[in-house]
């Protein structure tokens, strides 16, 4: 379905007076921010009341000055979150950005309390402040997390999405539509497209073609969109893009431009004005140096502590393996690590002893991603092995690989030698870092992922590595393991 000539003509006759109906797309954002502000104030007040009760032994014994402070804390918290950008609709659903702004607001409240007490010579209880602020921060982060998860659920059902008009060449638009459909929690739903040149048919990747590049504003109105995504397109030059931005400004429609660089996160990119031109600077990924030393120390310390704490579990699993299928407890296999160096990976054995010898019998039934051999109901897997794989407990011995430095807690999936031998130059990039026990591939579906998607996730990790990303992946691994998605 395309925008009809009659609809376009009607919009032109109205000139700049047209304004698409933004109430429906924007209502969910206003509702979310309203709930977030109520949660912010409630957390600040609750933390203050709890701290006062502990500090003074009961609410009836709170001094008058602290009563005023209790009443002022939610207000201070709200305005500090506001100043930190915590109510910016553009960060809705983006956990890292949203959480960082809450933490910045907490630091702002702390600074405000210190400055106020100094200027007014107010002798505030350090224990009260030391309890109230951390508790308010943790509680608020928890509430924001729950709000975000609820938002993701609603987006998965098709609501609370930004309605997007994609602008660019047909191939780029189709790729964008496919990507956004796969990751619905981002909240961007392409409702129509404006393509450069002649479009093959009236639909592209399942969405209507609304017209050419000069019909974007009309498409926004016709499809009630609130966002325009301009992909890399030589026909959309600086002057044309500037005119489009001016037109969309009149209707409050958001505009974002996708760079040619893919899978490169914000921390590596910086926009700097040079001679009046906004140039994007791309920093090299930090794959060596001090941050990698910290990562290595964290990995080994965590692995060593986990091995000590999990020793009883290791013994229990080893006995279960021996009872069900006598043979070696551990499975050893050669894998390719950083810079192509081979090492031996350790796992709990989940298959029969002769599993590798009889593998060829099941080659035609392969349900893997085209490169790796996988069967959902592999007859070679033992009863204990199915249980271990369901909860990813078979991976625990890889903590030994982390301790000796062959692997990391987080990283690309350790590749088999025959798999690595088929890598092209671009795919060998994933060997620039140590492989990990978990990674983006595991928290995104594991064995259910197509081969190309698994490689893309590994490449994204290498290009955007940070210690914060490692912590985020470790946190998400818990839910991935409990959900059991792709574990077979």
């Amino acid at each position: 379905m395309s925008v009809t000539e009659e609809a376009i003509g009607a919009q032109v006759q109205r000139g700049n007076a047209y304004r698409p109906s933004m109430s429906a797309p924007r209502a969910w954002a206003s509702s979310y921010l309203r709930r977030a502000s109520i949660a912010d104030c409630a957390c600040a007040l609750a933390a203050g009341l709890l701290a006062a009760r502990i500090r003074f032994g009961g609410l009836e014994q709170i001094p008058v000055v602290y009563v005023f402070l209790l009443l002022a804390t939610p207000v201070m918290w709200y305005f500090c979150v506001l100043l930190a950008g915590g109510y910016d609709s553009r960060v809705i659903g983006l956990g890292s950005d949203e959480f960082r702004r809450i933490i910045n607001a907490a630091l702002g409240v702390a600074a405000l309390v210190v400055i106020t007490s100094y200027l007014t010579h107010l002798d505030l209880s350090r224990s009260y402040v030391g309890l109230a602020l951390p508790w308010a921060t943790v509680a608020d982060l928890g509430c924001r997390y729950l709000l975000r998860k609820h938002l993701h659920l609603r987006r998965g059902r098709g609501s609370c999405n930004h309605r997007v008009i994609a602008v660019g060449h047909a191939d780029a638009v189709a790729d964008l539509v496919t990507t956004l459909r796969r990751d619905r929690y981002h909240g961007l739903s392409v409702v129509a497209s404006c393509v450069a040149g002649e479009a093959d048919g009236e639909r592209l990747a399942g969405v209507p073609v609304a017209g050419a590049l000069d019909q974007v504003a009309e498409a926004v109105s016709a499809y009630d969109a609130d966002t325009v995504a301009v992909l890399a397109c030589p026909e959309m030059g600086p002057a044309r893009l500037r005119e489009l931005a001016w037109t969309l400004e009149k209707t409050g429609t958001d505009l974002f431009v996708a760079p040619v660089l893919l899978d490169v996160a914000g921390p590596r990119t910086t926009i700097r004005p040079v001679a009046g031109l906004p140039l994007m600077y791309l920093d090299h990924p930090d794959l060596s140096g001090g941050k990698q030393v910290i990562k290595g120390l964290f990995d080994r310390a965590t692995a060593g502590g986990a091995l000590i704490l999990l020793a009883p579990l290791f013994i229990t699993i080893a006995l279960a393996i021996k009872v069900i299928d006598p043979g070696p407890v551990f499975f050893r296999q050669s894998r390719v690590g950083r810079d192509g160096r081979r090492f031996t990976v350790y796992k709990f054995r989940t298959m029969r002893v002769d599993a590798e010898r009889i593998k060829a019998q099941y080659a035609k039934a392969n349900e893997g991603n085209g490169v790796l051999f996988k069967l959902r109901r592999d007859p070679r897997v033992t009863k204990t092995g199915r249980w271990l794989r369901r909860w990813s407990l078979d991976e625990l011995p890889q903590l030994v690989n982390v301790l000796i430095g062959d692997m990391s807690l987080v990283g690309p999936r350790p590749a088999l030698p025959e798999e690595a031998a088929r890598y092209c130059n671009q795919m060998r990039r994933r060997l620039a870092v140590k492989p990990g026990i978990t990674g983006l591939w595991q928290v995104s579906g594991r064995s259910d992922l197509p081969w190309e998607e698994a490689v893309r996730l590994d490449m994204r990790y290498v290009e955007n590595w940070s210690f914060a990303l490692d912590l985020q992946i470790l946190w998400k691994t818990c839910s991935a393991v409990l959900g059991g998605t792709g574990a077979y």
Side-chain angles (χ1 to χ4, degrees):
M1 173 181 174
S2 301
V3 178
T4 63
E5 294 296 327
E6 292 81 1
I8 296 175
Q11 295 293 351
V12 172
Q13 288 178 3
R14 286 196 293 268
N16 293 332
Y18 77 89
R19 180 176 295 274
S21 174
M22 293 296 182
S23 58
R26 298 294 189 185
W28 65 266
S30 300
S31 176
Y32 180 93
L33 294 177
R34 183 167 55 252
R35 292 196 301 271
S37 63
I38 294 173
D40 295 342
C41 295
C43 288
L45 181 60
L49 288 172
L50 183 58
R53 183 178 180 85
I54 294 175
R55 171 62 181 83
F56 301 107
L59 297 180
E60 65 280 355
Q61 301 177 18
I62 300 178
V64 176
V65 65
Y66 286 92
V67 174
F68 286 105
L69 183 59
L70 278 173
L71 297 176
T73 298
V75 178
M76 289 191 298
W77 193 271
Y78 172 82
F79 280 105
C80 283
V81 174
L82 180 65
L83 292 174
Y87 302 123
D88 188 341
S89 61
R90 291 174 297 182
V91 302
I92 290 178
L94 301 179
S96 56
D97 286 344
E98 197 171 0
F99 296 158
R100 183 175 64 252
R101 298 185 185 201
I102 294 298
I103 293 174
N104 290 339
L107 295 175
V109 172
L112 186 61
V113 170
V114 170
I115 294 173
T116 302
S117 62
Y118 174 78
L119 294 177
T120 60
H121 302 286
L122 184 62
D123 188 16
L124 291 178
S125 170
R126 296 177 183 176
S127 59
Y128 170 81
V129 177
L131 290 174
L133 286 180
W135 285 348
T137 305
V138 173
D140 204 5
L141 290 174
C143 286
R144 288 293 186 121
Y145 175 79
L146 294 177
L147 284 173
R148 185 168 63 91
K149 284 300 180 183
H150 182 254
L151 177 64
H152 288 176
L153 288 176
R154 295 186 65 186
R155 283 177 169 174
R157 298 168 185 160
S159 61
C160 299
N161 288 317
H162 292 282
R163 298 173 60 83
V164 180
I165 302 295
V167 180
H169 286 278
D171 292 341
V173 169
D175 289 341
L176 178 67
V177 173
T178 302
T179 301
L180 295 181
R181 281 177 180 165
R182 182 177 59 241
D183 300 328
R184 293 183 180 274
Y185 65 90
H186 290 301
L188 297 175
S189 177
V190 180
V191 295
S193 63
C194 291
V195 298
E198 294 293 331
D200 296 331
E202 294 186 347
R203 300 185 72 85
L204 180 61
V207 301
V209 176
L213 298 183
D214 58 351
Q215 297 172 303
V216 176
E218 291 81 1
V220 169
S221 178
Y223 289 91
D224 200 19
D226 60 7
T227 303
V228 171
V230 179
L231 306 174
C233 180
E235 291 85 350
M236 187 62 73
R240 199 170 188 177
L241 185 60
R242 186 163 49 244
E243 291 178 0
L244 175 61
W246 292 342
T247 302
L248 298 179
E249 180 184 0
K250 300 171 185 176
T251 61
T253 306
D254 292 333
L255 172 67
F256 66 80
V257 180
V260 178
L261 299 168
L262 298 178
D263 289 331
V264 177
R268 284 189 56 200
T269 59
T270 306
I271 303 294
R272 305 176 191 171
V274 177
L277 299 174
L279 300 182
M280 177 183 290
Y281 285 74
L282 178 65
D283 297 329
H284 295 296
D286 193 358
L287 303 179
S288 61
K291 292 183 179 180
Q292 286 293 330
V293 172
I294 295 174
K295 174 182 171 70
L297 293 175
F298 174 79
D299 285 342
R300 296 193 180 194
T302 304
L307 286 171
I308 295 174
L309 293 175
L310 297 176
L313 179 60
F314 272 59
I315 296 174
T316 302
I317 294 175
L319 292 175
I321 293 174
K322 280 290 188 180
V323 170
I324 297 298
D325 184 29
V329 171
F330 296 104
F331 172 74
R332 299 174 177 83
Q333 191 176 44
S334 179
R335 296 293 179 102
V336 179
R338 184 173 185 176
D339 298 328
R341 186 178 64 85
R342 294 196 181 190
F343 68 97
T344 300
V345 70
Y346 299 95
K347 293 185 177 183
F348 282 120
R349 184 172 61 87
T350 59
M351 291 187 174
R352 294 165 42 179
V353 177
D354 59 348
E356 289 297 315
R357 183 176 59 82
I358 64 175
K359 176 180 177 181
Q361 301 177 15
Y362 306 98
K364 294 183 179 180
N366 183 17
E367 297 177 287
N369 50 29
V371 177
L372 303 178
F373 181 83
K374 287 283 185 179
L375 289 176
R376 292 183 182 274
R377 300 185 181 276
D378 197 327
R380 302 173 300 159
V381 178
T382 64
K383 293 181 179 179
T384 305
R386 290 192 182 93
W387 179 72
L388 294 176
R389 289 188 173 203
R390 169 63 181 79
W391 301 105
S392 298
L393 296 176
D394 59 317
E395 311 280 351
L396 289 179
Q398 293 178 36
L399 291 170
V400 176
N401 291 110
V402 176
L403 189 63
I404 63 181
D406 290 330
M407 293 179 62
S408 175
L409 292 176
V410 181
R413 181 185 52 79
L416 293 166
E418 57 269 26
E419 173 190 341
R422 300 168 57 182
Y423 284 173
C424 60
N425 289 335
Q426 184 178 8
M427 292 172 63
R428 290 190 67 83
R429 178 65 169 172
R430 68 195 299 271
L431 301 179
V433 298
K434 292 180 182 179
I437 297 179
T438 184
L440 285 176
W441 55 274
Q442 187 176 49
V443 301
S444 303
R446 290 186 277 187
S447 298
D448 288 339
L449 291 176
W451 166 249
E452 295 78 8
E453 177 64 10
V455 171
R456 187 183 69 84
L457 289 173
D458 284 342
M459 297 281 287
R460 182 197 294 179
Y461 174 81
V462 174
E463 294 300 320
N464 301 298
W465 175 85
S466 69
F467 192 67
L469 178 60
D470 278 5
L471 295 179
Q472 185 178 6
I473 292 174
L474 288 173
W475 169 257
K476 289 186 176 181
T477 298
C478 298
S479 60
V481 169
L482 292 176
T485 304
Y488 55 86

